[in-house]
């Protein structure tokens, strides 16, 4: 009897262990913890931000208008230039000779005209006394008229010579900064040469050219109608410089869906240089009643952006949204109503229909919980 009991004891223990295994429930993963925020309705400043290029208001290639030889270069590479300053002097000997010749022709015609007018007056007096026929007076009058025409032509030739002489002195059309000088004294210059003698660029004021989405055009035009459109340029040292929008293009680029703009800025310190990239912000008014969410609440899928909306039963559903703009790490969105509770943190590991636990301030988000559960 004792021996039988000893044999049955291990069997009973094995049966009890098996029953215990059947009563145990399988391991369930922990419910994801998420942080939730309510979508807010706010009046958001409508700020358009874009990357632009610094461009000069005035830029000109200095080229000669006549074929000649450079006599003297009056400036240096990179020099600051004022409007009207003499840049180059060309060989003007031939043109100056022509000018003097035309001046001499004018003096001769003036003398001939004075004599002809004197003869005309004398002939008129003689004709009144009957000592000269009327036809002689007509001849004298014709000679006077012919000399007046020759004098006018000589004066025109003189003015033309003055213009040609002026081409030998090349002056700056506006104030700016000179680029590299491509000619030297003795160089032969021609109007059709490939390289300019010099490129002159205006630096103050200066403009930044950029584009904005076509959806922002109504706000831009409405703000422009109310007054000046304020623009800000972000400089390399992190500071901002205020300016104004001076140009909105008259057509939208159909291929890119953008509109071209230009903003003008004072640039006495030369911080903005033509060709540089610059960040521009334009204040285009205020968007009233905009729905705002933290930017991290908006997730990106393969074909859309969406948020997870917390439902009454504690589960989440994905809701497509359209992001209008990002303002100070907050997203202005379409697709959710103000007051809707959406997942702010922890949405990366969620699936539509998942049940979640809303964390309180100080608790860890679902990303950390999920990482610990997988260890």
């Amino acid at each position: 009897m004792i021996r039988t009991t000893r044999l049955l004891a291990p069997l009973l223990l094995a049966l009890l262990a098996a029953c215990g295994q059947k009563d145990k429930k399988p391991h369930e993963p922990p419910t994801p913890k998420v942080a939730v925020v309510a979508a807010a309705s706010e009046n958001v400043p409508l700020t358009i931000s874009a990357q632009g290029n610094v461009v000069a208001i005035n830029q000109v290639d200095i080229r000669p208008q006549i074929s000649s030889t450079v006599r003297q270069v009056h400036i240096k590479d990179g020099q600051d230039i004022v409007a009207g300053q003499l840049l180059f002097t060309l060989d003007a000997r031939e043109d100056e000779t022509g000018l003097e010749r035309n001046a001499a022709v004018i003096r001769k015609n003036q003398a001939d005209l004075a004599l002809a007018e004197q003869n005309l007056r004398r002939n008129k007096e003689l004709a009144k006394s009957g000592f000269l026929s009327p036809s002689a007076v007509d001849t004298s009058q014709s000679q006077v008229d012919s000399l007046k025409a020759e004098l006018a032509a000589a004066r025109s030739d003189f003015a033309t010579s003055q213009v040609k002489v002026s081409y030998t002195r090349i002056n700056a059309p506006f104030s700016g900064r000179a680029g590299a000088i491509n000619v030297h004294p003795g160089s032969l210059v021609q109007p059709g040469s490939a390289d300019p003698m010099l490129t002159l660029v205006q630096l103050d004021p200066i403009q930044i050219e950029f584009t904005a989405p076509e959806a922002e055009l109504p706000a831009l035009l409405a703000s422009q109608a109310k007054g000046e459109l304020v623009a800000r340029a972000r400089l390399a040292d992190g500071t901002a410089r205020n300016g104004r929008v001076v140009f909105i293009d008259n057509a939208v680029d159909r291929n890119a869906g953008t509109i071209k703009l230009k903003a003008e800025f004072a640039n006495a310190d030369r911080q903005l240089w033509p060709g540089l990239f610059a960040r521009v912000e334009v204040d285009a008014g205020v968007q009233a009643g905009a729905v705002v969410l933290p930017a991290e609440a908006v997730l990106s899928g393969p074909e859309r952006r969406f948020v997870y909306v917390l439902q009454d039963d504690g589960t989440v559903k994905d809701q497509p949204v359209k992001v209008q703009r990002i303002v100070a790490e907050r997203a202005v969105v379409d697709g959710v109503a103000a007051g809707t509770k959406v997942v702010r943190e922890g949405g990366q590991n969620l699936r539509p229909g998942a049940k979640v636990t809303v964390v309180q301030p100080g608790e860890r988000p679902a990303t950390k919980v999920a990482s610990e559960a997988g260890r």
Side-chain angles (χ1 to χ4, degrees):
M1 185 67 179
I2 295 173
R3 184 177 179 182
T4 303
T5 304
R6 289 178 178 176
L7 292 173
L8 292 174
L11 181 60
L12 292 172
L13 291 174
L15 291 172
L16 290 174
C19 292
Q21 290 293 333
K22 291 182 180 179
D23 293 338
K24 286 184 179 180
K25 296 181 179 179
H27 177 73
E28 296 181 358
T31 303
K33 293 184 178 181
V34 297
V36 175
V37 65
S41 177
E42 301 178 7
N43 295 334
V44 180
L46 184 55
T47 302
I48 300 170
S49 182
Q51 190 78 12
N53 290 310
V54 181
V55 295
I57 297 177
N58 290 313
Q59 178 173 331
V60 64
D61 291 337
I62 303 296
R63 299 179 185 273
Q65 293 181 276
I66 58 173
S67 296
S68 186
T69 303
V70 178
R71 292 287 301 273
Q72 188 174 357
V73 178
H74 299 276
I75 59 171
K76 298 179 180 180
D77 293 336
Q79 180 179 333
D80 288 335
I81 306 298
V82 298
Q85 182 174 343
L86 183 61
L87 305 177
F88 304 98
T89 300
L90 305 182
D91 188 357
R93 289 174 294 181
E94 182 179 353
D95 294 320
E96 287 175 349
T97 300
L99 183 65
E100 292 175 0
R101 182 172 59 252
N102 290 329
V105 171
I106 290 176
R107 290 193 295 271
K108 178 181 180 300
N109 289 337
Q110 286 175 334
D112 292 342
L113 178 60
L115 179 60
E117 288 176 340
Q118 184 178 0
N119 290 333
L120 177 60
R121 288 193 296 270
R122 184 183 300 112
N123 290 338
K124 284 182 178 180
E125 292 296 332
L126 293 174
K128 288 180 181 179
S129 302
F131 293 103
L132 196 66
S133 65
S135 60
V137 175
D138 294 339
T139 301
S140 298
Q141 181 66 55
S142 176
Q143 186 177 9
V144 168
D145 294 340
S146 177
L147 289 173
K148 285 182 178 180
E150 291 180 8
L151 179 60
R155 285 172 174 168
S156 177
D157 291 339
F158 181 80
T160 301
S161 296
Q162 284 182 314
V163 172
K164 289 182 178 180
V165 171
S166 70
Y167 290 160
T168 64
R169 295 175 60 85
I170 301 176
N171 301 307
F174 52 82
S175 298
R177 184 182 178 92
I181 299 173
N182 299 319
V183 297
H184 306 280
S187 299
L188 177 65
V189 293
Q190 296 176 332
S193 58
D195 296 326
M197 302 173 69
L198 169 75
T199 298
L200 183 63
V201 176
Q202 179 181 339
L203 295 179
D204 183 28
I206 205 164
Q207 293 180 347
I208 298 179
E209 185 179 78
F210 60 100
T211 59
E214 61 181 337
E216 310 290 1
L217 182 58
L220 288 168
L221 295 176
S223 296
Q224 187 182 50
K226 295 177 182 177
E228 192 174 85
L229 269 176
V230 177
R232 287 182 302 277
R234 297 294 178 180
L235 305 182
D237 59 2
T239 60
R241 175 164 300 176
N242 289 336
R244 60 191 181 93
V245 174
V246 295
F247 170 74
I248 299 177
D249 204 357
N250 59 1
V252 173
D253 186 334
R254 291 181 295 178
N255 296 324
T258 56
I259 185 76
K260 183 186 295 184
L261 300 96
K262 289 182 181 180
E264 187 173 307
F265 301 88
N267 193 38
D269 57 358
R270 311 293 176 83
Q271 291 296 307
L272 295 172
W273 209 258
L276 286 177
F277 289 103
R279 196 72 183 172
V280 183
E281 297 174 352
V282 179
D283 294 332
V286 176
Q287 182 177 357
V291 178
V292 179
L293 289 171
E296 62 267 25
V298 181
L299 305 176
S300 296
E303 299 178 353
R304 58 176 184 151
R305 289 183 173 182
F306 64 95
V307 295
Y308 280 116
V309 177
L310 181 65
Q311 301 187 96
D312 294 338
D313 60 357
T315 61
V316 294
K317 70 172 183 178
D318 61 331
Q319 178 70 38
V321 294
K322 180 181 179 181
V323 179
Q324 297 182 2
R325 66 186 58 85
I326 303 294
V327 180
E329 299 183 355
R330 299 185 303 166
V332 180
V333 300
D334 287 331
V336 294
T340 303
K341 294 182 178 180
V342 302
V343 175
R344 175 175 183 171
E345 296 182 27
Q348 294 82 359
N349 298 319
L350 296 181
R351 295 292 182 271
K355 192 172 185 62
V356 297
T357 300
V358 178
V359 300
Q360 299 300 321
E363 294 189 52
R364 293 174 296 179
T367 53
K368 294 183 179 180
V369 173
S371 62
E372 293 176 357
R375 293 177 183 174

